Amino acid sequence: MPSFAKVASLLLLALSTPNAGAFAPPSSSTAAKNAVPSSTSVDMGPPLPDVILAETYGEGSRKYRRTVYTHNEWVKHRASDRFIRNLSSMVNSGVYKSLAKEVFATTAVAAFLCFWNALTGGYTDLDGVQHAAVISALPQLTLPLTPFTLLSPSLGLLLVFRTNSSYGRWDEARKFWGLNINHTRDLNRMATAWYGHDGQVIDPEKRAEDLRQISLFTWAFVRSMKRHLSPPSEDEE
């Protein structure tokens, strides 16, 4: 049977409190210390103040983004004013800038079609006055409605699939949280069953203190994860 030293080493590596920092955003001083201006670096964190970024959005800026989505970001994401905030920041959005060429191409094609059909088929101005076609010899550019009607059920199914995938991610997170609770119980049960039962003579007081430390490490690990997912007001006393 493994000795307590081996069991304690494994538990300390998995459940020690310094590792709880992986569930919280890095501080500015730590992030700045770890930031490397090299474009080939994989270190995460914001760049140094004197570093000029060649790309402030897209894949080039991914290594400077935060890697942890905390409860504060979730509260901001589901805030009631998120619609107005998203509209005001739409032009500065990295996604919008990355898709600027595609958006410009789609807008250009739509504008060309409107202009072409206005020249060849006439148009109605803002006052409701109908104007005749300027170039009646050329045909209008139109598409039949049948393909769009046939594709409507597919779009509906796509929306349903996206909803199901979102619920699946939530359900997976709930299952993982349950597994985490079960595994912490297993670790404490294995430590209690193995420590002191492999032929070694151990002082009962020392055994009780060591097992208490393991329980505290397990408690700290679970509470650090809970603190990452919930606000401070829900912390247990």
Side-chain angles (χ1 to χ4, degrees):
M1 300 294 290
S3 63
F4 173 76
K6 296 180 180 179
V7 176
S9 300
L10 294 175
L11 294 177
L12 288 175
L13 290 175
L15 304 175
S16 59
T17 51
N19 287 344
F23 302 97
S27 61
S28 58
S29 59
T30 305
K33 186 183 299 183
N34 295 334
V36 179
S38 174
S39 59
T40 59
S41 173
V42 295
D43 293 336
M44 304 298 295
L48 297 175
D50 56 344
V51 176
I52 300 177
L53 297 181
E55 186 177 359
T56 57
Y57 62 91
E59 293 297 327
S61 64
R62 183 175 296 276
K63 63 180 180 179
Y64 299 115
R65 303 177 189 175
R66 57 172 173 76
T67 59
V68 179
Y69 198 83
T70 63
H71 178 76
N72 295 332
E73 281 77 19
W74 173 243
V75 172
K76 181 180 178 181
H77 173 74
R78 63 181 181 180
S80 58
D81 61 340
R82 63 184 182 274
F83 180 72
I84 300 177
R85 184 177 65 249
N86 292 337
L87 284 180
S88 61
S89 61
M90 182 176 61
V91 181
N92 298 325
S93 171
V95 176
Y96 179 82
K97 293 179 179 179
S98 300
L99 299 176
K101 296 180 180 179
E102 290 81 355
V103 173
F104 177 77
T106 304
T107 305
V109 171
F112 172 77
L113 289 176
C114 291
F115 180 74
W116 178 269
N117 289 336
L119 290 178
T120 58
Y123 64 96
T124 303
D125 60 16
L126 298 178
D127 295 330
V129 179
Q130 180 68 32
H131 296 269
V134 179
I135 307 175
S136 58
L138 297 177
Q140 288 183 292
L141 299 178
T142 59
L143 288 176
L145 293 178
T146 304
F148 300 98
T149 304
L150 296 177
L151 289 177
S152 297
S154 301
L155 294 177
L157 291 176
L158 179 61
L159 294 177
V160 172
F161 290 154
R162 290 182 62 86
T163 304
N164 290 340
S165 62
S166 300
Y167 175 77
R169 288 193 294 268
W170 174 85
D171 187 63
E172 184 180 9
R174 183 182 62 85
K175 292 178 180 178
F176 276 126
W177 181 252
L179 288 175
N180 179 66
I181 296 177
N182 294 334
H183 289 334
T184 54
R185 293 172 180 171
D186 293 340
L187 288 173
N188 283 275
R189 183 170 58 251
M190 288 187 294
T192 305
W194 290 353
Y195 185 36
H197 297 281
D198 53 358
Q200 296 182 0
V201 179
I202 302 175
D203 183 50
E205 295 183 359
K206 183 179 184 302
R207 181 178 184 274
E209 177 62 23
D210 292 337
L211 294 177
R212 189 182 73 87
Q213 291 293 331
I214 293 178
S215 300
L216 290 178
F217 285 140
T218 309
W219 180 90
F221 175 74
V222 177
R223 289 304 183 275
S224 64
M225 292 191 65
K226 181 178 182 297
R227 177 63 183 84
H228 167 63
L229 300 172
S230 60
S233 59
E234 297 183 5
D235 285 350
E236 297 180 0
E237 295 294 338

